[in-house]
Amino acid sequence: MNEQTSPKDTTAAATDAVAVVVLPLPAQGHLNQLLHLSRLLSHRGLAVHFAGSAAHNRQARLRAHGWDPSRQAIRFHDLPMPPFASPPPDPTSPNKFPVHLLPTFEASDALRAPFSDLLRAVALTSRRVVVVHDSLMSFAAREASLVPNAEAYAFHTVSAFASLFFQYESRGADASALFPELPTLSTDGCFTDRFKDFIRSRHGLTASDAGRLLNTCRPIEGRFIDLLAREPFARDKKLWAVGPLNQIEADVKGGPARHEILKWMDNKPPNSVMYVSFGTTSSLSDEQISEIAVGLERSQQRFVWVLREADRGDIFAERENGTRRARLPDEDYKRRVRARGLVIMDGWVPQVEILGHGSTGGFMSHCGWNSCMESLSMGVPMAAWPMHSDQPRNAMLVTEVLGVGVGVREWGRREEVVRAEAVEEAVRRLMGEEVGRGMRRRAEEIGAMVRGAASEGAHAELDSFVAHISR
């Protein structure tokens, strides 16, 4: 087990009053949320240990934007993990659930023993050890229960809205009865049977948890947070809504140079650019890419399109072994749209900074919860294109409940190719029509409330959690 520390941490005290050990699921959306939480906890004076395989710790640090993990007092622990299959995604599959990542998730069971060793080592020099684990890494709760001065808290990476539906459905109840005003949404296609078995095997270990954390906040989901707290899994346990976690440091001197996207956007009018990105877990077919390209071009709106393949389980093995490269409909496309559009097909982009840029007026997204929270906190309305898992519920929250988005991909027609006409219509509605302007006003109001809730000295629920574990 290797430990890596930041320069600030080389003279750490022999004893930490309270040490926090963080364990994410090895997937980008989960790594990112828990790395941001680690930073916020570290800033509140807690000793923070971030644990995972060497490849996934490296991935988390490499893709942090807006702040530099090497300048934080976070101790990274590289836990040994045996080789695992890292197959490429299948862009032709009509079901977009990332089955290619399941071998990685299942291999993470091998982290249990080295994680237990780390936990016991940290416990020797701490008054209390607090384990914050991804809800899908719940073996950590069991290991914490075996250490006298340790306690564990599950971190949920999905919205309270989606989690509420999942809780109802897991016990055979009709969640739609809670919200008769909303359209019925089938969960068919959200998960595979193999992943459902994986969820059940992990969630069965959460009984040892002392409480739960949600990456959300009351300005967005207050009603659903309260309903979720009444669910059997949360009764008699404390629950904190500690979001939003995505924040940008004002000073990142010595960090990476400003990204070309931000430079391109600098001279564009306010609220005039549609940002298009579909996350890290699903790949699009050549036919679907072509339809999106034509729709964006026909819309006559400015856009930034990040077009990349889904991650493999080990993104560094992906680089070494090569991977499919997404293809635009013709070689002349980039030149033809360059007056209005920018297509990025390589590298990693600073999404939070793009969404926070003054020229960004909309976000076409898969509606992963990371992306939703980032967009909502920046006051940017969304064009919803859900792919799998919690994303259809998140899309419903954005479009039907909050009223700050339009639908692009209908979940009931999820196995069909979305045509250029639908892409064009969604972009025009969100960016150019009165409907879109109204959504933008509502999104800006929500964003202001979210940023106010998370501003310095006002992050009440996170501070409440810190006070609780420091008692």
Side-chain angles (χ1 to χ4, degrees), residues 219-232:
I220 298 174
E221 295 198 282
R223 173 188 178 191
F224 310 118
I225 294 167
D226 291 338
L227 288 170
L228 194 61
R230 301 173 195 167
E231 285 296 294

Side-chain angles (χ1 to χ4, degrees), residues 272-289:
S272 68
V273 177
M274 170 71 84
Y275 171 53
V276 182
S277 178
F278 299 110
T280 61
T281 59
S282 299
S283 291
L284 300 173
S285 67
D286 290 342
E287 182 182 10
Q288 184 62 83
I289 291 171

Side-chain angles (χ1 to χ4, degrees), residues 265-420:
M265 296 174 74
D266 283 343
N267 62 358
K268 303 300 182 289
N271 302 320
S272 68
V273 177
M274 170 71 84
Y275 171 53
V276 182
S277 178
F278 299 110
T280 61
T281 59
S282 299
S283 291
L284 300 173
S285 67
D286 290 342
E287 182 182 10
Q288 184 62 83
I289 291 171
S290 180
E291 294 292 330
I292 294 170
V294 172
L296 290 173
E297 185 176 9
R298 287 179 183 171
S299 75
Q300 297 293 302
Q301 301 294 317
R302 296 179 182 88
F303 66 89
V304 168
W305 182 11
V306 178
L307 176 58
R308 63 187 304 278
E309 287 299 287
D311 286 344
R312 294 190 187 188
D314 182 342
I315 67 168
F316 304 104
E318 171 184 326
R319 291 180 181 181
E320 294 165 3
N321 300 332
T323 188
R324 166 188 180 256
R325 183 180 173 87
R327 294 187 300 175
L328 291 166
D330 60 77
E331 294 181 0
D332 195 44
Y333 184 83
K334 281 189 176 183
R335 184 203 60 78
R336 204 167 57 246
V337 302
R338 65 185 178 190
R340 292 189 315 276
L342 181 65
V343 184
I344 302 294
M345 303 180 70
D346 294 298
W348 192 249
V349 304
Q351 179 163 291
V352 177
E353 292 164 273
I354 293 170
L355 291 169
H357 196 285
S359 69
T360 302
F363 181 17
M364 186 177 292
S365 169
H366 62 303
C367 293
W369 190 235
N370 251 339
S371 291
C372 288
M373 281 297 290
E374 291 168 359
S375 194
L376 291 168
S377 64
M378 295 301 173
V380 177
M382 301 178 74
W385 191 309
M387 301 283 190
H388 60 81
S389 303
D390 58 318
Q391 296 164 17
R393 297 292 188 205
N394 297 339
M396 179 179 282
L397 174 67
V398 167
T399 59
E400 301 289 340
V401 179
L402 299 176
V404 293
V406 299
V408 188
R409 187 189 198 212
E410 297 179 27
W411 189 244
R413 302 174 63 183
R414 61 191 172 275
E415 295 191 356
E416 301 176 17
V417 172
V418 178
R419 295 302 170 188

Side-chain angles (χ1 to χ4, degrees), residues 16-330:
D16 295 314
V18 178
V20 181
V21 183
V22 176
L23 184 66
L25 182 76
Q28 180 59 34
H30 299 246
L31 294 166
N32 182 59
Q33 292 188 49
L34 280 164
L35 183 60
H36 277 283
L37 178 63
S38 296
R39 172 179 174 265
L40 294 174
L41 293 174
S42 177
H43 280 200
R44 282 159 173 78
L46 298 172
V48 180
H49 303 258
F50 192 95
S53 76
H56 293 107
N57 283 348
R58 180 184 170 195
Q59 175 180 333
R61 292 194 301 270
L62 178 68
R63 290 179 170 180
H65 272 282
W67 59 282
D68 185 354
S70 69
R71 300 177 62 194
Q72 311 294 318
I74 300 172
R75 307 170 203 179
F76 289 86
H77 298 266
D78 295 344
L79 306 183
M81 187 167 167
F84 55 89
S86 185
D90 179 5
T92 65
S93 174
N95 185 317
K96 293 303 177 183
F97 185 86
V99 294
H100 64 286
L101 294 180
L102 282 172
T104 311
F105 299 161
E106 292 165 349
S108 67
D109 277 329
L111 296 175
R112 184 168 186 164
F115 178 80
S116 177
D117 293 341
L118 169 64
L119 195 57
R120 293 173 187 280
V122 173
L124 292 175
T125 59
S126 307
R127 176 174 62 84
R128 176 179 296 121
V129 179
V130 175
V131 174
V132 177
H133 65 88
D134 193 293
S135 63
L136 293 178
M137 298 291 279
S138 54
F139 63 74
R142 174 61 178 164
E143 295 306 315
S145 72
L146 302 176
V147 178
N149 60 332
E151 58 192 28
Y153 298 83
F155 180 87
H156 294 264
T157 58
V158 302
S159 64
F161 183 73
S163 186
L164 191 61
F165 275 85
F166 293 153
Q167 289 298 318
Y168 263 63
E169 290 154 1
S170 68
R171 61 175 191 270
D174 182 11
S176 63
L178 272 176
F179 312 109
E181 72 278 12
L182 296 179
T184 301
L185 181 65
S186 168
T187 57
D188 292 344
C190 289
F191 304 105
T192 64
D193 289 340
R194 180 177 167 188
F195 187 67
K196 288 178 183 177
D197 290 341
F198 176 79
I199 292 175
R200 282 191 285 268
S201 70
R202 295 299 180 94
H203 281 181
L205 299 173
T206 61
S208 301
D209 283 314
R212 298 178 184 273
L213 305 177
L214 305 173
N215 180 18
T216 189
C217 60
R218 293 191 171 275
I220 298 174
E221 295 198 282
R223 173 188 178 191
F224 310 118
I225 294 167
D226 291 338
L227 288 170
L228 194 61
R230 301 173 195 167
E231 285 296 294
F233 89 118
R235 288 177 190 164
D236 303 321
K237 294 185 178 182
K238 292 184 178 293
L239 185 150
W240 292 270
V242 297
L245 304 177
N246 51 282
Q247 296 181 16
I248 301 173
E249 287 185 343
D251 179 16
V252 286
K253 292 177 182 177
R258 197 158 182 265
H259 199 280
E260 63 176 300
I261 292 178
L262 302 174
K263 296 175 183 177
W264 183 87
M265 296 174 74
D266 283 343
N267 62 358
K268 303 300 182 289
N271 302 320
S272 68
V273 177
M274 170 71 84
Y275 171 53
V276 182
S277 178
F278 299 110
T280 61
T281 59
S282 299
S283 291
L284 300 173
S285 67
D286 290 342
E287 182 182 10
Q288 184 62 83
I289 291 171
S290 180
E291 294 292 330
I292 294 170
V294 172
L296 290 173
E297 185 176 9
R298 287 179 183 171
S299 75
Q300 297 293 302
Q301 301 294 317
R302 296 179 182 88
F303 66 89
V304 168
W305 182 11
V306 178
L307 176 58
R308 63 187 304 278
E309 287 299 287
D311 286 344
R312 294 190 187 188
D314 182 342
I315 67 168
F316 304 104
E318 171 184 326
R319 291 180 181 181
E320 294 165 3
N321 300 332
T323 188
R324 166 188 180 256
R325 183 180 173 87
R327 294 187 300 175
L328 291 166
D330 60 77

